[in-house]
Amino acid sequence: FPRGCVIIASCIATLLMKGKGVARKLFFIFILPIVFVLRFLFPSRLRTVRLQHEVVGLKRKVKIVHISDIHYDHPHHPQRITSDLLQQVIDISNRYEPDLVLLTGDYVQHDPEPADELCRLFLSQLRGRSGVYAVLGNHDYRLPHAHDMIISSLTKYGIKVLDNACVEPLGDGLLRLVGFGDINMHGFKPDIVHDVIKDTSIPQIILSHNPDTAQKLTRYRVDLQLSGHTHGGQVVLPFIGPVLPYLDKLVSLIPRSILRHIPGARRLSVVKNWKWLGGYHSITSVIPTSSSSSSSSSSSSSSPLSSPSHKGKGMDDGMFINHMFVNRGLATHPPLRLFCDPEIALIELVPASH
């Protein structure tokens, strides 16, 4: 019962914040003071996640930095990330001396214009022995010209954008890097690179902003998919977990005839698979071969990031275990992050020991 009360209270607070008129006034009068107290008592701090991941067929160790969800904006807009935090991320990344720096979208909040400043002041400092690669997120498509403008800014400062494209940055046959556009903005088009990525003989890393795409990629070999988008749920309650799935469930129980009269109340569209809000996941898949027909499974299991290593991909009659890491991202949407710190991931791919 106490757990249910906490969940419902959190959901009501979120609905009030997203509402208009009276609902928004109630939020500022009653909820906002509580938010300030929580931010003071439990400030969010940058978290460095270290993950070692075994890959079958990998010939040498590969060091990767994964960064996601920056949401850089005009200075006169509410700021979701500070310059100090961004510089801290850059410094951690460069000290790690990675082979690859991989960015998984949402560089801006709405307008694409701040992307050039973000790249000039910060992202241009990133160093990877074999390059810095990026894909776009849903916020990078919000205006008609945003997609092209953001790609132009990233490219201008030496960041290679993979828009439904693939490369082998370490040399032929060592590791394939595949990047997709955002699925919510109709940018996810695996058929464009299907003839290349259906080859299972080369270790394959996927960059895709939204983790839901893992379900669409079960017919391919995915040694590790890197995603963001979810901010880890942003508000995570002890012994309960992220609030967002409960909020979505609560709203789904309200009849539509009533829902339309509640300001700000609507089904959430963050992800379809709430189990993939953050962390490391394994997804069973079946790869079509000459002796097996095409089919797939959406089963998923999570592994703790504190584990020293995770089993790489194994293959048996077309059976693979695909893997995914979902980054909590860096930015904070108002009003706060709670028990869900922003993070940068330092990943070490190592040849499988079996």
Side-chain angles (χ1 to χ4, degrees):
F1 178 76
R3 170 176 168 162
C5 290
V6 171
I7 293 170
I8 292 172
S10 301
C11 292
I12 291 172
T14 305
L15 288 173
L16 289 175
M17 182 193 72
K18 296 169 73 68
K20 298 178 181 178
V22 175
R24 187 166 285 271
K25 289 178 181 177
L26 288 172
F27 171 78
F28 280 105
I29 293 171
F30 296 106
I31 307 299
L32 197 59
I34 297 174
V35 168
F36 278 116
V37 171
L38 289 173
R39 290 181 68 168
F40 176 78
L41 293 176
F42 307 104
S44 62
R45 295 182 175 88
L46 180 64
R47 175 175 177 247
T48 301
V49 176
R50 293 180 179 270
L51 172 65
Q52 187 180 73
H53 182 75
E54 294 186 1
V55 177
V56 170
L58 189 66
K59 294 181 173 61
R60 66 172 179 85
K61 180 173 69 176
V62 179
K63 295 169 68 177
I64 291 173
V65 169
H66 178 210
I67 298 169
S68 195
D69 295 86
I70 297 172
H71 294 273
Y72 199 75
D73 207 353
H74 294 290
H76 56 277
H77 288 176
Q79 295 302 295
R80 290 166 170 79
I81 190 166
T82 65
S83 296
D84 288 345
L85 177 60
L86 267 173
Q87 191 58 55
Q88 188 179 354
V89 168
I90 301 299
D91 293 342
I92 291 172
S93 177
N94 289 343
R95 281 199 301 269
Y96 186 58
E97 298 183 345
D99 297 291
L100 297 167
V101 179
L102 306 178
L103 315 175
T104 51
D106 279 3
Y107 307 101
V108 299
Q109 175 60 21
H110 187 270
D111 297 334
E113 285 76 13
D116 193 77
E117 181 179 287
L118 168 66
C119 294
R120 176 171 55 85
L121 296 180
F122 299 102
L123 300 187
S124 62
Q125 299 180 51
L126 289 168
R127 298 289 178 264
R129 291 190 187 95
S130 298
V132 182
Y133 292 86
V135 296
L136 301 190
N138 57 303
H139 282 258
D140 305 320
Y141 292 78
R142 288 200 161 186
L143 294 178
H145 62 293
H147 172 273
D148 292 343
M149 180 176 284
I150 292 171
I151 288 179
S152 177
S153 295
L154 291 166
T155 304
K156 176 181 173 182
Y157 291 96
I159 298 168
K160 304 170 185 69
V161 180
L162 299 177
D163 196 25
N164 299 299
C166 49
V167 295
E168 295 180 17
L170 307 180
D172 292 344
L174 293 178
L175 181 74
R176 183 184 296 127
L177 190 60
V178 186
F180 293 112
D182 185 70
I183 191 169
N184 285 344
M185 309 306 289
H186 311 292
F188 177 72
K189 300 174 182 177
D191 288 346
I192 293 177
V193 292
H194 169 76
D195 288 343
V196 177
I197 65 175
K198 69 179 181 181
D199 171 24
T200 60
S201 65
I202 300 175
Q204 194 153 257
I205 304 299
I206 303 292
L207 304 183
S208 183
H209 179 67
N210 191 318
D212 279 339
T213 56
Q215 209 162 33
K216 306 281 187 181
L217 296 171
T218 52
R219 57 177 173 155
Y220 301 110
R221 171 178 179 169
V222 180
D223 290 278
L224 186 63
Q225 174 171 329
L226 299 178
S227 296
H229 182 59
T230 66
H231 293 219
Q234 206 167 274
V235 175
V236 178
L237 301 180
F239 311 110
I240 294 173
V243 167
L244 284 180
Y246 295 103
L247 173 59
D248 191 49
K249 182 66 174 177
L250 178 66
V251 173
S252 71
L253 298 175
I254 303 173
R256 290 191 177 186
S257 58
I258 298 175
L259 191 66
R260 66 187 182 197
H261 298 293
I262 303 176
R266 59 182 175 83
R267 291 300 303 275
L268 301 176
S269 58
V270 179
V271 285
K272 293 179 181 177
N273 295 281
W274 291 109
K275 60 190 174 185
W276 294 339
L277 273 179
Y280 180 89
H281 303 270
S282 298
I283 303 117
T284 303
S285 65
V286 180
I287 311 298
T289 65
S290 57
S291 60
S292 65
S293 60
S294 173
S295 60
S296 67
S297 169
S298 60
S299 64
S300 169
S301 62
S302 302
S303 296
L305 285 171
S306 58
S307 174
S309 67
H310 299 286
K311 289 184 178 180
K313 186 182 305 297
M315 179 176 170
D316 181 15
D317 295 330
M319 291 294 296
F320 278 79
I321 300 298
N322 289 348
H323 301 276
M324 176 170 62
F325 174 74
V326 183
N327 196 307
R328 288 178 173 181
L330 296 176
T332 299
H333 287 311
L336 83 164
R337 280 183 181 264
L338 185 62
F339 304 118
C340 186
D341 293 334
E343 67 185 17
I344 175 175
L346 308 182
I347 301 168
E348 188 176 63
L349 303 182
V350 296
S353 58
H354 59 283

